[in-house]
Each structure stands twice: as C-alpha cells, then as structure tokens.
C-alpha cells in the first residue's frame, strides 16, 4: 500500500469518525514513557587496529554501542470504537572507547576510520547515535468480551536515524589525526501494529507489537584532519561523502502490567511497568581507511541493534 493511499485512508477515517461522533463520545488521552535497554547483536564499531608488540600483527578492535535510553510521548483522541494518535519517541546510544600503549611514536595504532594512512600511539572514539520516530496512526477497538480489548492500527512513521562518531588517533609527539564520521537517514514509511489488553479491574495486563519500514538514501560524511601536536596546526585535510539506498526496518514489542487511578468521573490516571524488546537496522559500521584492511571489509553496512529492557509509562484520560 502506497503512503499517499494510506494518508487518504486516514483522512477519510478521521472525517467519518468526527462526523459520526458526538462531543460526549470523544475522549482525549496521552502517555509518557521512559526506560533503559541493553543492546546486543551487530552492535560494534571497528575504529582502530592495534599491535601491542609492534611486530606487524595488527588486530581490529571494536567499540560496542552499549546501553540505550528510551523516551516516548503520545497524544490521542477516541471516537467511539476508533482512535487516532500522534506519538514521538527517541532512543539514544552514547559511548566511548580507547586503546593504545601511550608510548612515544611507537606506531602500535593504525586507523580503520578516516582517509589517511599513518600510525599512532593511541586511539579514542566517542559516539552519539540516536533514532527518532514520529508516528501518526489510526486504529480500531474491538471487545471480544467485557475484560478483553483488541486494537489493530496502521499509520505513517517518520524515521530520523543519526550516527555521529568522533575518532582521534594520537601521537605523544608528532602528527595526530581527528575523524568525524556522521551518518544520516530521514524518511517516512509505513507502520502497523496490534495492542491487546486484559482488564482485571483496577489492574490490567497489556501487550503492544508494531512493525515499520522506510526506504530511502542514507548519507555518510567523513572528514579527516591531520594536525601537529602540540599546537594543533592543521597539516592535511580530506573529506568523503558516501550514499546508499537502504530500507530501515523496526519492530518493537512491549508487555506490561498496570494500575488505574480514578481521578474524577471522566478522568483517569494509569501507571504501568513494561518489558520492551525490539530490533532496528540501518547503521553503517564499515571501515573507511584503506591501510591494513580493504575499505568496507570490517563492520557491516546494514548493522542491526537489538534491545531489551524495562520502562515506566504514565497515562491519562480526560
């Protein structure tokens, strides 16, 4: 189904729902979530080659993406048995790593990132990677029984994936090297999901599964600056832009137990503790330096990250 067609379906659904629902049938709601996750999978960045004995037997070393922080905000409106939501979420991966002997011009470090061929004493990497999603969905509520609720939904997801890395190759004396390695992907794709809820009175159990994909061009921009130390005078500079057409696919599942709090006749608060798992692809971790290893021979040009962890969600109806 094309995105233009889906937009038309959502628009028509909203118009029909608004025309058939009275103000008394309309309910607004929202929720905010926050959590931490542990990542696994193809989640390492090759950023240096190290030979502690300086005998020519260099081995590539990697920096793991590490844990992530997740946040989400959601606003919606219900029309009888239909609902429309606008939601934004962000997942951050931040980390660093370092290797080397800390010697004097011992050439135990070789770059796997950047564009210059050289050797150094030490290597450090700092990265700030994030995925932002903006979702617009329309869904339907079905009640197979008084205690069960099923909600399928479809919509659009705008994906903003950024992977920003800074790598430094350092000499104690001599010429050092600073790399910036920035990857960007922005595209709108399709989203589909299903929620299930079991009502136990004030307590409830819930599950939510969704899948999305977006096709587009990912751009990777690498700059490489050699400079003298101390002093920081630039001695050479190179840059390169790499583009690739990819499909970014995401799936997420959340299982939770929650409690409702009655504030007034038409206002409810809720709090749930959930366990969330997911997977995301689209990262480019391949090496860009042509010295010891062929360009692109390390890492993965479509690296995936899996995550799992707990979160807390606060919700309200008004």
């Amino acid at each position: 189904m094309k995105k233009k067609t889906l937009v038309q379906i959502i628009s028509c659904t909203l118009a029909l729902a608004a025309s058939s629902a009275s103000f008394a049938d309309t309910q607004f709601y929202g929720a905010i979530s926050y959590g931490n996750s542990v990542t696994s999978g193809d989640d390492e960045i090759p950023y240096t080659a190290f030979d502690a004995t300086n005998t020519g037997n260099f081995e590539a070393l990697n920096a793991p993406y590490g844990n992530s922080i997740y946040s989400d905000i959601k606003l919606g409106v219900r029309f009888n048995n239909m609902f429309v939501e606008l939601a934004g979420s962000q997942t951050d991966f931040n980390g660093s790593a370092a290797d080397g002997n800390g010697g004097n011009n011992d050439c135990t470090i070789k770059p796997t990132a950047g564009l210059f061929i050289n050797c150094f004493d030490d290597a450090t990497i700092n990265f700030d990677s994030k995925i932002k999603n903006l979702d617009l969905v329309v869904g339907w509520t079905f009640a197979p029984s008084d205690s069960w609720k099923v909600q399928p939904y479809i919509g659009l997801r705008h994906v903003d994936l950024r992977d920003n890395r800074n790598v430094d190759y350092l000499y104690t004396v001599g010429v050092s090297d600073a790399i910036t390695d920035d990857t960007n992907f922005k595209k709108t794709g399709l989203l589909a999901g299903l929620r299930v809820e079991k009502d136990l009175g004030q307590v409830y159990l819930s599950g939510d599964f969704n899948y999305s994909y977006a096709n587009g061009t990912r751009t990777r921009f690498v700059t490489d600056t050699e400079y003298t130390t101390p002093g920081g005078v630039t001695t050479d500079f190179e840059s390169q832009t790499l583009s690739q057409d990819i499909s970014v696919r995401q799936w997420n599942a959340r299982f939770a137990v929650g409690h409702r709090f009655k504030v007034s006749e038409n206002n409810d608060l809720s709090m749930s503790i959930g366990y969330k798992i997911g997977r995301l692809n689209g990262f480019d971790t391949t090496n860009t330096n042509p010295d010891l290893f062929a360009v692109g021979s390390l890492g993965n040009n479509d690296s995936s990250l899996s995550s799992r962890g707990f979160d807390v969600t606060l919700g309200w109806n008004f």
Side-chain angles (χ1 to χ4, degrees):
M1 183 182 295
K2 294 182 178 180
K3 285 178 287 185
K4 183 178 179 180
T5 304
L6 188 58
V7 171
Q8 293 173 340
I9 293 175
I10 293 175
S11 300
C12 292
T13 301
L14 285 174
L16 291 173
S19 63
S20 62
S22 66
F23 184 78
D25 295 326
T26 302
Q27 183 181 51
F28 296 93
Y29 62 93
I32 55 174
S33 301
Y34 181 85
N36 289 281
S37 296
V38 176
T39 60
S40 60
D42 310 323
D43 57 348
E44 295 191 340
I45 307 167
Y47 73 102
T48 192
F50 184 39
D51 176 17
T53 59
N54 202 8
T55 56
N57 187 25
F58 285 87
E59 293 186 13
L61 299 179
N62 303 322
Y65 272 95
N67 297 348
S68 61
I69 298 174
Y70 169 81
S71 57
D72 175 274
I73 185 168
K74 181 185 301 178
L75 298 173
V77 58
R78 296 186 182 94
F79 306 97
N80 295 320
N81 65 336
M82 300 178 61
F83 63 90
V84 178
E85 287 179 2
L86 180 65
S89 64
Q90 178 171 306
T91 304
D92 287 282
F93 306 88
N94 299 295
S96 62
D99 285 291
N101 279 340
N104 283 334
N105 297 353
D106 56 10
C107 280
T108 55
I109 288 291
K110 289 272 193 173
T112 60
L115 307 173
F116 292 130
I117 297 173
N118 212 326
C119 59
F120 303 92
D121 291 344
D122 300 285
T124 62
I125 180 173
N126 294 277
F127 58 87
D128 180 12
S129 308
K130 58 174 58 71
I131 176 74
K132 296 180 181 180
N133 294 322
L134 182 63
D135 302 339
L136 175 63
V137 303
V138 58
W140 299 264
T141 299
F142 301 96
S145 68
D146 292 338
S147 62
W148 281 98
K149 185 165 61 177
V150 179
Q151 296 180 314
Y153 56 91
I154 58 173
L156 300 174
R157 167 169 286 176
H158 179 72
V159 180
D160 185 353
L161 185 153
R162 301 181 185 182
D163 196 5
N164 306 123
R165 308 168 197 158
N166 293 301
V167 185
D168 289 297
Y169 300 109
L170 304 174
Y171 262 155
T172 304
V173 293
V175 176
S176 294
D177 204 9
I179 315 297
T180 63
D181 190 347
D182 299 330
T183 297
N184 293 280
F185 175 91
K186 291 184 180 182
K187 197 66 177 179
T188 300
L190 302 180
L191 168 69
L194 177 68
R195 297 174 189 154
V196 179
E197 184 176 299
K198 172 66 175 178
D199 192 350
L200 303 173
Q202 288 184 308
V203 177
Y204 62 92
L205 304 175
S206 65
D208 188 350
F209 176 84
N210 64 70
Y211 175 84
S212 68
Y213 73 89
N215 298 320
T217 300
R218 177 185 61 199
T219 302
R220 184 178 181 185
F221 183 59
V222 181
T223 67
D224 195 339
T225 305
E226 285 193 336
Y227 60 94
T228 58
T229 54
V233 178
T234 299
T235 60
D236 207 347
F237 175 84
E238 294 287 344
S239 65
Q240 185 178 60
T241 300
L242 306 170
S243 298
Q244 183 179 6
D245 293 332
I246 64 170
S247 296
V248 173
R249 302 172 300 278
Q250 301 179 64
W251 68 261
N252 293 283
R254 182 178 187 264
F255 308 94
V257 56
H259 191 283
R260 295 187 181 90
F261 305 89
K262 195 71 174 178
V263 178
S264 65
E265 182 179 356
N266 297 317
N267 297 312
D268 294 327
L269 293 178
S270 65
M271 183 180 73
S272 67
I273 297 176
Y275 187 70
K276 187 174 181 179
I277 58 177
R279 189 167 178 85
L280 160 72
N281 75 303
F283 294 89
D284 186 358
T285 61
T286 55
N287 59 307
T288 57
N289 191 277
D291 191 1
L292 292 174
F293 310 95
V295 173
S297 61
L298 300 176
N300 190 332
N301 67 358
D302 191 18
S303 186
S304 298
L305 296 177
S306 297
S307 61
R308 56 186 66 239
F310 289 94
D311 66 3
V312 175
T313 296
L314 299 177
W316 62 93
N317 297 324
F318 55 93

